[in-house]
């Protein structure tokens, strides 16, 4: 069975490639390397002792995408490729709409023409906006608070319309909560460029000494310790969610949606404590005002994925912090070194 992974050189994509190869799938990656490095794929091959095909191409280049489909002839596509920085999307909305929406439209047009009509799409818990209650089930109302989130919501809507127009499509919308961690080997992990926006990469840079202090954005939320609460999920658990989704996709389900989260939330301060346990060092922090646009708390109800896919997250907070630290300390410059 052949799987084309768009954005496969990136953080979640590379971990998913490991699991795909270990499950015996034939894998090809399409990536423009705009936010990743080919080194991640070399390491995927090192971990699995298997090889994959790599196409250095941009989804905005329809001719290149068409050629890749006629050469590789995938049975399904896992579509990770996209820009994902919330703050950047606010200052560069056109870039985000063009890359994420036009890129996806190009991909879908090629798939509509040549097949396969089987796609797993990387959506996000961001499509739930500020939820009215917790935990979040898949039927909660949807909204977007920024251009990045709007691209996710729009692509979900595009895929839904596509299925209504042509029921031959099989589409899985996977809504990820907050991925973190790294492969247990320490060979692949998250490698953000510049100063990280997200909590976990920021904490790891403080732990390694390349950043001085963490800023905790607000301790006056209505949460047990006043700091924001999120459903952090190990990236390997998330990758396995894709492996469990593929048989579902091939069983002709039409369009299906699943939350991929653990079902429990940890606060920013609990994450700091977890990381301190993992690295054995102290993470200095200051409490600063809330970050605009942040919500107080967010965690998944993952029951549907457990019932219908037989998937659930198994890694603990300590596993997540330990694996993040193992990757960070072995690769202080990320893939650049
Ligand atoms: P990432 O940036 O590490 O990976 C995305 C990959 O897509 C990169 O390798 C990049 O080079 C590639 N890419 C971007 N635009 C492309 C284009 N036009 N053509 C070809 N390749 C292109 O991000 P990630 O964290 O691995 O996220 C993967 C997907 O999951 C994204 O769609 C993201 O929006 C979604 N997601 C991520 C998170 C998260 O917190 N990391 C949470 C929810 C959803
Ligand atoms: C988590 C908590 C912050 C940094 C983002 C995207 C979302 C999804 C996942 C893709 C919050 C606090 C953070 C820091 C802090 N991505 N924090 N100091 O905002 O839940 O989700 O990534 O789809 O769309 O918005 O994740 O890691 O940025 O923040 O105190 O330096 O950590 O306020 O409570 P978020 P995050």
């Amino acid at each position: 069975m052949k799987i084309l992974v768009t954005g496969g050189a990136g953080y979640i994509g590379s971990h998913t490639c490991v699991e795909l190869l270990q499950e015996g799938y034939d894998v090809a990656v399409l990536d423009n390397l705009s936010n990743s490095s080919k080194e991640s794929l070399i390491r995927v091959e090192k971990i699995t002792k298997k090889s994959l095909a790599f196409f250095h191409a941009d989804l905005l280049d329809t001719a290149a995408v068409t050629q890749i489909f006629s050469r590789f002839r995938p049975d399904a596509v896992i579509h990770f490729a996209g820009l994902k920085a919330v703050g950047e999307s606010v200052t560069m909305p056109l870039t985000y709409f063009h890359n994420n929406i036009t890129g996806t439209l190009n991909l879908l047009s090629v798939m509509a023409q040549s097949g396969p009509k089987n796609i797993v799409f990387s959506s996000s818990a961001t499509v739930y906006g500020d939820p009215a209650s917790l935990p979040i089930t898949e039927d909660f109302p949807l909204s977007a608070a920024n251009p990045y989130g709007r691209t996710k919501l729009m692509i979900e809507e595009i895929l839904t319309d596509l299925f209504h127009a042509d029921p031959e499509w099989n589409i899985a919308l996977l809504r990820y909560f907050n991925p973190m961690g790294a492969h247990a080997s320490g060979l692949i992990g998250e490698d953000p460029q510049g100063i990280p926006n997200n909590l976990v990469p920021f904490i790891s840079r403080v732990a390694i000494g390349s950043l001085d202090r963490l800023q905790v954005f607000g301790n006056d939320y209505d949460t047990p310790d006043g700091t924001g609460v999120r459903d952090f999920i190990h990236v390997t658990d998330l990758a396995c969610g894709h492996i469990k989704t593929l048989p579902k996709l091939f069983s002709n389900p039409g369009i299906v949606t699943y939350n991929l989260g653990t079902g429990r939330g940890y606060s920013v301060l609990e994450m700091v404590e977890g990381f301190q346990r993992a690295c054995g060092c102290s993470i200095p922090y200051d409490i600063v005002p809330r970050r605009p646009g942040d919500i107080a708390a967010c965690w998944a109800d993952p029951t549907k994925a457990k019932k219908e896919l037989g998937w659930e997250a198994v890694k603990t907070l300590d596993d997540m912090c330990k694996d993040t630290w193992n990757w960070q300390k072995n690769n202080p410059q990320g893939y650049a070194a």
Side-chain angles (χ1 to χ4, degrees):
M1 198 73 84
K2 292 173 152 193
I3 311 296
L4 179 68
V5 184
T6 77
Y11 173 46
I12 306 170
S14 55
H15 289 79
T16 303
C17 285
V18 167
E19 302 304 320
L20 285 167
L21 288 168
Q22 284 175 341
E23 283 295 310
Y25 288 100
D26 197 350
V27 177
V29 167
L30 181 169
D31 202 302
N32 66 3
L33 303 181
S34 59
N35 194 38
S36 53
S37 127
K38 201 174 167 237
E39 178 64 20
S40 65
L41 297 177
I42 294 170
R43 297 196 186 183
V44 165
E45 292 184 329
K46 195 169 170 186
I47 292 167
T48 59
K49 300 187 176 57
K50 292 186 176 181
S51 58
L52 49 69
F54 174 58
F55 297 105
H56 187 184
D58 197 311
L59 285 178
L60 297 175
D61 180 350
T62 313
V65 178
T66 307
Q67 212 176 31
I68 291 165
F69 272 76
S70 62
R71 277 178 63 187
F72 184 63
R73 300 197 169 283
D75 297 295
V77 174
I78 304 184
H79 178 32
F80 292 107
L83 298 173
K84 63 163 184 179
V86 171
E88 188 180 66
S89 81
V90 175
T91 56
M92 303 166 65
L94 292 181
T95 304
Y96 270 67
F97 287 124
H98 188 49
N99 190 74
N100 293 6
I101 305 288
T102 313
T104 302
L105 289 175
N106 288 348
L107 173 70
L108 295 174
S109 307
V110 173
M111 292 174 73
Q113 262 171 16
S114 65
K117 294 182 180 176
N118 301 319
I119 185 167
V120 179
F121 172 59
S122 296
S123 190
S124 165
T126 193
V127 299
Y128 295 117
D130 192 355
S133 62
L134 292 164
I136 299 170
T137 52
E138 287 82 353
D139 54 2
F140 268 37
L142 306 180
S143 67
N146 52 64
Y148 165 72
R150 213 165 332 275
T151 68
K152 292 292 163 194
L153 205 47
M154 287 167 79
I155 295 169
E156 286 203 4
E157 287 168 349
I158 289 166
L159 287 166
T160 306
D161 285 344
L162 187 58
F163 170 70
H164 287 143
D166 177 359
E168 277 184 17
W169 280 87
N170 293 299
I171 299 165
L173 309 175
L174 300 184
R175 296 180 180 150
Y176 312 153
F177 281 67
N178 286 59
M180 64 171 285
H183 191 264
S185 62
L187 285 171
I188 56 171
E190 189 169 13
D191 184 21
Q193 306 307 304
I195 297 179
N197 302 306
N198 297 114
L199 179 67
V200 173
F202 202 105
I203 295 180
S204 7
R205 296 274 172 95
V206 173
I208 202 77
S210 62
L211 290 170
D212 286 343
R213 302 174 76 76
L214 170 71
Q215 295 193 319
V216 173
F217 297 139
N219 67 348
D220 55 352
Y221 285 107
D222 183 14
T223 59
D225 65 18
T227 65
V229 169
R230 297 291 184 274
D231 185 338
F232 293 95
I233 175 169
H234 196 293
V235 64
T236 297
D237 277 336
L238 195 62
C240 290
H242 295 73
I243 305 301
K244 293 285 191 182
T245 302
L246 285 174
K248 177 76 179 176
L249 201 67
F250 293 125
S251 74
N252 226 337
I255 185 160
V256 287
T257 306
Y258 297 103
N259 283 341
L260 296 187
T262 66
R264 81 151 284 182
Y266 287 102
S267 74
V268 173
L269 293 182
E270 284 177 303
M271 297 307 292
V272 169
E273 283 160 20
F275 215 88
Q276 290 181 154
R277 280 196 299 278
C279 70
C281 59
S282 140
I283 308 290
Y285 66 84
D286 301 307
I287 305 287
V288 301
R290 293 179 180 193
R291 183 171 65 178
D294 272 352
I295 58 175
C298 167
W299 65 88
D301 180 340
T303 310
K304 189 174 174 209
K306 185 174 181 185
K307 255 195 210 150
E308 296 185 15
L309 303 178
W311 170 87
E312 67 183 320
V314 293
K315 305 250 186 192
T316 64
L317 174 65
D318 284 334
D319 296 330
M320 294 193 258
C321 292
K322 180 174 69 72
D323 289 341
T324 305
W325 177 236
N326 188 34
W327 153 254
Q328 180 70 72
K329 79 172 185 305
N330 290 328
N331 305 272
Q333 316 295 330
Y335 293 115

